Amino acid sequence: FADEITVDGHIRTLHGIGLLKWKYIVDVYLVALYKPADIPIDRISTSIPKRLEYYFFVDMEANDFQSTGFELMARNIGKEKAQGMTKELDAFNELYQDVKEGQRYTLTFLPGKGLEMALDGKSLGLVEGDEFGSSYLSIWLGPDPVSKNLQKGMFDPGTKK
């Protein structure tokens, strides 16, 4: 992962890298968290620009992402609030494609614009709305993430090395 990237004309700095393991044995993907260098990590869940970049160690089907998004998002923002975003979630889920080992997804939150998904550097689309973008990213960045160990790595600058 690069130490810095440019997103929407602004520099974003690598903060940390987390690893998602399946059944504590299989490495599934790495996630790099990029954010403005001057914004502390305890503000990551607020409406600040950020990017999650995923590197896959295994092949995954689009359905693997689509089938879990609502439940994981609801764990962090509440079921009622998540139900109010089903239109946006459905639109975002349509962007997912099957991925192969070695491919990279990026989810980029741009305040005032929304949440963009890209695969291997090619934009797949953007779903508008700051509330949806922050809510969806709570799957990894919220109080009840998909993996506490993955989140711990992303929040720890010592994991960049």
Side-chain angles (χ1 to χ4, degrees), residues 46-102:
T46 63
S47 194
I48 63 164
K50 55 194 150 259
R51 173 179 281 178
L52 299 181
E53 183 173 335
Y54 303 75
Y55 175 87
F56 291 87
F57 294 110
V58 297
D59 297 353
M60 292 184 73
E61 295 180 3
N63 185 56
D64 295 334
F65 305 102
Q66 297 161 336
S67 64
T68 58
F70 178 83
E71 176 191 329
L72 293 169
M73 193 169 73
R75 277 185 359 198
N76 288 281
I77 65 168
K79 188 174 183 178
E80 187 175 319
K81 187 174 178 183
Q83 286 173 333
M85 293 185 212
T86 54
K87 180 182 171 188
E88 292 89 346
L89 181 59
D90 289 346
F92 200 72
N93 278 338
E94 287 183 24
L95 302 176
Y96 277 112
Q97 299 178 7
D98 296 348
V99 293
K100 301 284 185 199
E101 177 185 351

Side-chain angles (χ1 to χ4, degrees), residues 6 15-16 32 72-73 98 106 112 117 126-127 139 145-146 150-151:
T6 302
H15 185 81
L72 293 169
M73 193 169 73
D98 296 348
T106 56
M117 182 188 301
L126 179 134
V127 173
I139 292 171
V146 65
L150 173 126
Q151 186 184 73

Side-chain angles (χ1 to χ4, degrees), residues 120-135:
D120 292 333
K122 179 183 177 246
S123 178
L124 301 175
L126 179 134
V127 173
E128 295 181 356
D130 285 7
E131 187 172 20
F132 171 73
S134 290
S135 296

